[in-house]
Amino acid sequence: MSTIIGVDIGTSVTKAVAFDGAGRARAAAVRRSHVEMLPGGRVEQDLDDVVTGVGEVVREVAHALGGPPDAVALTGQGDGLWLRDAGGRPVRPAISWMDARASELVTRWLADGTIGAAYAHTGSGMFPGCHGPLLHWLQQHEPKTLDRAAVAGYCVDAVAQHLTGRVCLDASDATLPFLDPRTRRYAPEALAACGVEGRADLLPAPAAPGTVLGLDGRGARLLGLAEGLPVVAGPYDLPACAIGSGVRAVGDGVLILGTTLASQVLTDRVDLDPLAEPAGMWLCTPDPGRWLRAMPAMVGTAALEWVLALVGATTADVDALLTESPPGARGVHAFPFLSEAGERAPFVEPSAQGRLDGLSLATGRADAVRAVCEAIGYAARHCLEAAGLSGDLALCGGGTRSVMWARLMADVLGRPVRIPLEEQVGALGVVSVARASLSPGYEAPPGRHRVVEPREDVRALYEDGYGRYRAGLATARAGWGGRAR
């Protein structure tokens, strides 16, 4: 059976996993990437550092295999702005999707209808760390940077260009915020709404599904593999995780409980409702007749890590702390909106803020942790409802390593969750895309998973809790300046 190395280029960690033809992991490697946290909410990365990490993990996995793989498949973080020249060299540090420098601009665009005008043609909302506001911000503050650039791309296509010498942008990455997902072409109205129509030449056209590249000399030296080895620059991490989690039927969904909280539901139609809340996006998939309605919130495990640090605990303590505090967290409630860039789904509000309420001298640290975990669950439920979940739900991401948090999520969502036994579902998903690209007609084998059922004895409590969360959110949004829905 052929072996393909899937590389998942995350924001802070790059992972490589070799999978055989049955979807079994044979070797893996991990490297941390450096994320530069700068004043003013600016978050940047060095493309060279990211590329070096890719080379290291692929070499380690290939060595463990005892021989070269049959192909390499790439996925990774989406959004942000990875500007390069014609040779693929960065013209400035990459701006991360977490960046908040354009927050005031997004707030203004929400108020004056700019985002709504673009949304009517693309079905994609905007947030500070996506192409629309970032290109506009650079046009105002760093126009010479844009003049030097030839490509305004993303992480995956930036790495792919370094390995192959070719620009190959997956349609999923291109989605936000200028692509009409029905035609897979950029909507000039969206570019004009953002005032960057003059920079349209920086946007590469999405590659056709099934495109296969090959390592050039530079890429071969970096990875220690043969020149010409097939490379597939697949969907970015959100749709890759959906594919790797076994989302196959319309109405099925996946919730990624990772640094961000990403909800996606598979659909066979795109509804560009100009009256809808301008949030989320319709992600193109490798199948031109299928899309993922995505609602990726800004904060997931990052909010948990924040409250753990606040109470002097670590992720190793999560299960014990959730056991110590009962459902409902003894009356402590939270909002999990801790990103400096605010929130992007299922509503866009750069001024969104976190909150812990109901504290007293009787409150313990376990109650604070449970309250934040429950709030993340309520936020996930809100996103999944907005995305139109009607079928089965997969749950993946680092948060699923906690048995108690996975159970809590099933309880709060009020539905069973399927947890894949393979943790690296993003890498597995892009490997499946690569196999289909190399062998048309390929169908991925069904993945193995465990099911966590919601408990009936807490259903009423969490139904009440979710109602209280939504009501409190509507009030808070009015105070933040957003539009309560």
Side-chain angles (χ1 to χ4, degrees):
M1 292 184 181
S2 63
T3 300
I4 298 178
I5 296 179
V7 185
D8 188 347
I9 312 159
T11 305
S12 56
V13 172
T14 294
K15 296 164 280 192
V17 187
F19 291 99
D20 63 21
R24 293 185 294 257
R26 295 184 54 196
V30 178
R31 290 290 185 281
R32 294 201 67 83
S33 296
H34 179 67
V35 180
E36 193 76 22
M37 310 297 286
L38 301 168
R42 303 183 187 199
V43 185
E44 298 182 347
Q45 287 194 268
D46 179 5
L47 175 58
D48 289 336
D49 175 65
V50 172
V51 168
T52 297
V54 170
E56 290 174 351
V57 294
V58 171
R59 280 177 174 270
E60 182 175 334
V61 169
H63 177 75
L65 290 174
D70 295 282
V72 172
L74 304 175
T75 186
Q77 58 180 295
D79 300 312
L81 186 58
W82 297 64
L83 290 166
R84 293 105 65 190
D85 63 20
R89 297 297 306 162
V91 298
R92 71 171 325 282
I95 303 177
S96 170
W97 59 270
M98 298 187 297
D99 194 272
R101 75 188 67 198
S103 291
E104 291 184 5
L105 176 64
V106 172
T107 299
R108 187 165 70 248
W109 280 1
L110 282 168
D112 67 16
T114 295
I115 289 178
Y119 184 88
H121 297 279
T122 65
S124 287
M126 292 189 215
F127 68 104
C130 74
H131 267 48
L134 289 177
L135 284 172
H136 186 98
W137 191 94
L138 288 174
Q139 191 163 262
Q140 296 297 312
H141 300 278
E142 296 182 25
K144 291 183 179 179
T145 297
L146 294 180
D147 293 341
R148 293 195 304 271
V151 179
Y154 304 80
C155 176
V156 176
D157 64 281
V159 173
Q161 185 177 6
H162 195 98
L163 297 180
T164 70
R166 291 177 55 188
V167 177
C168 183
L169 178 65
D170 189 81
S172 63
D173 254 326
T175 297
L176 184 66
F178 301 126
L179 198 75
D180 182 335
R182 302 164 299 185
T183 64
R184 298 192 178 218
R185 296 188 181 94
Y186 296 113
E189 299 90 347
L191 286 157
C194 296
V196 294
E197 63 272 28
R199 302 293 182 176
D201 61 321
L202 296 179
L203 304 176
T211 297
V212 178
L213 310 173
L215 285 180
D216 64 8
R218 179 176 64 171
R221 289 189 295 274
L222 177 76
L223 302 186
L225 300 173
E227 191 169 346
L229 186 84
V231 175
V232 172
Y236 80 98
D237 55 7
L238 265 62
C241 284
I243 295 167
S245 297
V247 174
R248 301 285 188 271
V250 170
D252 287 354
V254 60
L255 172 63
I256 305 171
L257 194 56
T259 303
T260 56
L261 189 68
S263 304
Q264 303 170 83
V265 175
L266 189 66
T267 179
D268 57 1
R269 64 182 181 86
V270 173
D271 181 14
L272 301 187
D273 180 359
L275 300 179
E277 179 108 8
M281 68 281 284
W282 300 86
L283 293 174
C284 296
T285 75
D287 181 347
R290 294 289 185 272
W291 297 265
L292 286 160
R293 182 63 169 135
M295 289 287 170
M298 286 297 289
V299 177
T301 57
L304 173 60
E305 290 166 359
W306 173 84
V307 73
L308 288 171
L310 188 70
V311 302
T314 70
T315 53
D317 304 313
V318 171
D319 280 355
L321 290 167
L322 291 179
T323 300
E324 182 181 334
S325 180
R330 297 190 177 93
V332 180
H333 314 298
F335 281 158
F337 313 118
L338 299 177
S339 169
E340 286 189 272
E343 188 51 274
R344 62 176 177 177
F347 58 91
V348 177
E349 180 48 68
S351 301
Q353 295 180 326
R355 200 166 75 190
L356 269 175
D357 292 332
L359 302 175
S360 73
L361 290 176
T363 300
R365 65 178 193 158
D367 301 319
V369 171
R370 175 173 275 276
V372 170
C373 288
E374 290 179 347
I376 294 170
Y378 293 141
R381 182 167 170 177
H382 191 186
C383 287
L384 287 166
E385 287 179 356
L389 178 68
S390 60
D392 294 337
L393 178 66
L395 179 66
C396 65
T400 60
R401 297 191 188 101
S402 165
V403 173
M404 292 300 296
W405 198 10
R407 178 184 296 170
L408 182 153
M409 293 301 291
D411 289 341
V412 171
L413 295 172
R415 61 167 59 240
V417 295
R418 296 186 300 107
I419 301 177
L421 298 185
E422 171 54 57
E423 287 190 3
Q424 304 303 333
V425 292
L428 177 60
V430 78
V431 164
S432 295
V433 172
R435 291 192 189 283
S437 299
L438 294 164
S439 303
Y442 167 83
E443 292 188 10
R448 299 176 301 138
H449 59 267
R450 61 186 175 91
V451 177
V452 179
E453 298 280 351
R455 294 173 294 175
E456 285 297 325
D457 60 334
V458 295
R459 180 181 292 273
L461 182 150
Y462 283 125
E463 288 297 321
D464 289 345
Y466 181 57
R468 184 170 54 248
Y469 169 87
R470 291 292 301 272
L473 178 59
T475 300
R477 288 192 65 187
W480 295 331
R483 298 176 300 162
R485 290 287 180 106

mmCIF file of all heavy atoms in Angstrom, residues 7 33 58 74 153 164 197 206 214 250 288 331 357 370 383 419 425 432 446 459:
data_model
loop_
_atom_site.group_PDB
_atom_site.id
_atom_site.type_symbol
_atom_site.label_atom_id
_atom_site.label_comp_id
_atom_site.label_asym_id
_atom_site.label_seq_id
_atom_site.Cartn_x
_atom_site.Cartn_y
_atom_site.Cartn_z
ATOM 1 N N VAL A 7 1.123 16.748 6.046
ATOM 2 C CA VAL A 7 1.735 17.794 6.860
ATOM 3 C C VAL A 7 0.667 18.820 7.221
ATOM 4 O O VAL A 7 0.032 19.397 6.334
ATOM 5 C CB VAL A 7 2.897 18.481 6.115
ATOM 6 C CG1 VAL A 7 3.584 19.485 7.033
ATOM 7 C CG2 VAL A 7 3.903 17.454 5.611
ATOM 8 N N SER A 33 6.431 26.162 15.986
ATOM 9 C CA SER A 33 6.754 27.337 15.179
ATOM 10 C C SER A 33 6.732 28.564 16.077
ATOM 11 O O SER A 33 6.028 28.605 17.092
ATOM 12 C CB SER A 33 5.736 27.515 14.054
ATOM 13 O OG SER A 33 5.776 26.437 13.156
ATOM 14 N N VAL A 58 9.107 16.406 7.985
ATOM 15 C CA VAL A 58 9.042 15.461 6.874
ATOM 16 C C VAL A 58 10.283 14.582 6.859
ATOM 17 O O VAL A 58 10.196 13.353 6.670
ATOM 18 C CB VAL A 58 8.870 16.194 5.531
ATOM 19 C CG1 VAL A 58 9.033 15.224 4.360
ATOM 20 C CG2 VAL A 58 7.503 16.866 5.471
ATOM 21 N N LEU A 74 -0.179 18.686 1.856
ATOM 22 C CA LEU A 74 -0.070 19.834 2.752
ATOM 23 C C LEU A 74 -1.436 20.380 3.139
ATOM 24 O O LEU A 74 -2.314 20.572 2.287
ATOM 25 C CB LEU A 74 0.715 20.963 2.084
ATOM 26 C CG LEU A 74 2.119 20.655 1.570
ATOM 27 C CD1 LEU A 74 2.671 21.874 0.832
ATOM 28 C CD2 LEU A 74 3.041 20.252 2.702
ATOM 29 N N GLY A 153 -1.258 35.533 -0.623
ATOM 30 C CA GLY A 153 -1.753 34.183 -0.405
ATOM 31 C C GLY A 153 -1.902 33.832 1.054
ATOM 32 O O GLY A 153 -2.102 34.707 1.917
ATOM 33 N N THR A 164 7.714 23.637 -4.507
ATOM 34 C CA THR A 164 7.481 23.226 -5.899
ATOM 35 C C THR A 164 7.781 24.306 -6.927
ATOM 36 O O THR A 164 7.837 24.023 -8.131
ATOM 37 C CB THR A 164 6.021 22.783 -6.092
ATOM 38 O OG1 THR A 164 5.155 23.930 -5.999
ATOM 39 C CG2 THR A 164 5.607 21.754 -5.043
ATOM 40 N N GLU A 197 -9.828 46.858 -5.047
ATOM 41 C CA GLU A 197 -9.959 46.320 -6.398
ATOM 42 C C GLU A 197 -8.692 46.518 -7.219
ATOM 43 O O GLU A 197 -8.393 45.739 -8.129
ATOM 44 C CB GLU A 197 -11.164 46.930 -7.113
ATOM 45 C CG GLU A 197 -11.087 48.437 -7.348
ATOM 46 C CD GLU A 197 -11.636 49.254 -6.195
ATOM 47 O OE1 GLU A 197 -11.592 48.784 -5.043
ATOM 48 O OE2 GLU A 197 -12.097 50.380 -6.462
ATOM 49 N N PRO A 206 -8.019 30.187 -7.872
ATOM 50 C CA PRO A 206 -7.988 28.876 -7.217
ATOM 51 C C PRO A 206 -7.629 27.769 -8.208
ATOM 52 O O PRO A 206 -8.061 27.780 -9.359
ATOM 53 C CB PRO A 206 -9.416 28.712 -6.691
ATOM 54 C CG PRO A 206 -9.951 30.097 -6.588
ATOM 55 C CD PRO A 206 -9.314 30.861 -7.697
ATOM 56 N N GLY A 214 4.827 18.914 -8.088
ATOM 57 C CA GLY A 214 5.998 18.067 -7.898
ATOM 58 C C GLY A 214 7.108 18.839 -7.226
ATOM 59 O O GLY A 214 7.270 20.055 -7.460
ATOM 60 N N VAL A 250 -24.692 15.148 3.534
ATOM 61 C CA VAL A 250 -25.220 16.501 3.700
ATOM 62 C C VAL A 250 -25.955 16.593 5.039
ATOM 63 O O VAL A 250 -26.759 15.727 5.385
ATOM 64 C CB VAL A 250 -26.167 16.847 2.535
ATOM 65 C CG1 VAL A 250 -26.921 18.144 2.813
ATOM 66 C CG2 VAL A 250 -25.382 16.950 1.234
ATOM 67 N N PRO A 288 -16.973 19.883 -6.387
ATOM 68 C CA PRO A 288 -17.594 21.161 -6.768
ATOM 69 C C PRO A 288 -19.063 21.275 -6.387
ATOM 70 O O PRO A 288 -19.600 22.387 -6.337
ATOM 71 C CB PRO A 288 -17.418 21.193 -8.296
ATOM 72 C CG PRO A 288 -16.232 20.317 -8.551
ATOM 73 C CD PRO A 288 -16.336 19.217 -7.532
ATOM 74 N N GLY A 331 -23.351 27.950 39.691
ATOM 75 C CA GLY A 331 -23.873 29.282 39.404
ATOM 76 C C GLY A 331 -22.896 30.232 38.753
ATOM 77 O O GLY A 331 -23.242 31.397 38.501
ATOM 78 N N ASP A 357 -19.041 35.575 35.591
ATOM 79 C CA ASP A 357 -20.075 36.126 36.465
ATOM 80 C C ASP A 357 -20.475 35.097 37.522
ATOM 81 O O ASP A 357 -20.238 33.898 37.374
ATOM 82 C CB ASP A 357 -21.327 36.476 35.650
ATOM 83 C CG ASP A 357 -21.090 37.645 34.712
ATOM 84 O OD1 ASP A 357 -20.248 38.490 35.020
ATOM 85 O OD2 ASP A 357 -21.746 37.683 33.657
ATOM 86 N N ARG A 370 -14.862 24.991 34.963
ATOM 87 C CA ARG A 370 -16.064 24.391 34.365
ATOM 88 C C ARG A 370 -16.918 25.450 33.677
ATOM 89 O O ARG A 370 -17.461 25.205 32.592
ATOM 90 C CB ARG A 370 -16.885 23.642 35.414
ATOM 91 C CG ARG A 370 -18.206 23.109 34.857
ATOM 92 C CD ARG A 370 -18.938 22.237 35.834
ATOM 93 N NE ARG A 370 -18.480 20.864 35.776
ATOM 94 C CZ ARG A 370 -18.908 19.950 34.905
ATOM 95 N NH1 ARG A 370 -19.783 20.300 33.962
ATOM 96 N NH2 ARG A 370 -18.473 18.718 34.950
ATOM 97 N N CYS A 383 -22.805 28.242 17.140
ATOM 98 C CA CYS A 383 -22.196 28.154 15.818
ATOM 99 C C CYS A 383 -22.802 27.031 14.984
ATOM 100 O O CYS A 383 -23.086 27.208 13.790
ATOM 101 C CB CYS A 383 -20.688 27.934 15.955
ATOM 102 S SG CYS A 383 -19.755 29.388 16.495
ATOM 103 N N ILE A 419 -16.045 10.772 18.165
ATOM 104 C CA ILE A 419 -14.672 11.224 18.308
ATOM 105 C C ILE A 419 -13.760 10.267 17.550
ATOM 106 O O ILE A 419 -13.644 9.089 17.907
ATOM 107 C CB ILE A 419 -14.263 11.298 19.790
ATOM 108 C CG1 ILE A 419 -15.193 12.255 20.545
ATOM 109 C CG2 ILE A 419 -12.805 11.735 19.917
ATOM 110 C CD1 ILE A 419 -14.911 12.349 22.018
ATOM 111 N N VAL A 425 -6.573 14.335 12.434
ATOM 112 C CA VAL A 425 -7.554 14.208 11.359
ATOM 113 C C VAL A 425 -7.308 15.198 10.228
ATOM 114 O O VAL A 425 -7.703 14.952 9.085
ATOM 115 C CB VAL A 425 -8.995 14.359 11.905
ATOM 116 C CG1 VAL A 425 -9.350 13.183 12.790
ATOM 117 C CG2 VAL A 425 -9.173 15.675 12.641
ATOM 118 N N SER A 432 -6.207 11.935 2.278
ATOM 119 C CA SER A 432 -7.325 11.384 1.493
ATOM 120 C C SER A 432 -7.536 12.184 0.216
ATOM 121 O O SER A 432 -7.796 11.615 -0.855
ATOM 122 C CB SER A 432 -8.614 11.394 2.335
ATOM 123 O OG SER A 432 -8.512 10.524 3.440
ATOM 124 N N PRO A 446 -13.899 3.994 5.879
ATOM 125 C CA PRO A 446 -14.550 4.587 7.061
ATOM 126 C C PRO A 446 -13.587 4.618 8.239
ATOM 127 O O PRO A 446 -12.869 3.648 8.497
ATOM 128 C CB PRO A 446 -15.736 3.647 7.319
ATOM 129 C CG PRO A 446 -15.355 2.357 6.658
ATOM 130 C CD PRO A 446 -14.535 2.724 5.472
ATOM 131 N N ARG A 459 -29.869 17.306 30.878
ATOM 132 C CA ARG A 459 -30.379 17.955 29.678
ATOM 133 C C ARG A 459 -31.115 19.258 30.003
ATOM 134 O O ARG A 459 -30.870 20.298 29.380
ATOM 135 C CB ARG A 459 -31.313 17.018 28.916
ATOM 136 C CG ARG A 459 -31.888 17.644 27.634
ATOM 137 C CD ARG A 459 -32.818 16.677 26.924
ATOM 138 N NE ARG A 459 -32.083 15.545 26.398
ATOM 139 C CZ ARG A 459 -31.494 15.535 25.199
ATOM 140 N NH1 ARG A 459 -31.541 16.605 24.428
ATOM 141 N NH2 ARG A 459 -30.856 14.481 24.779
#
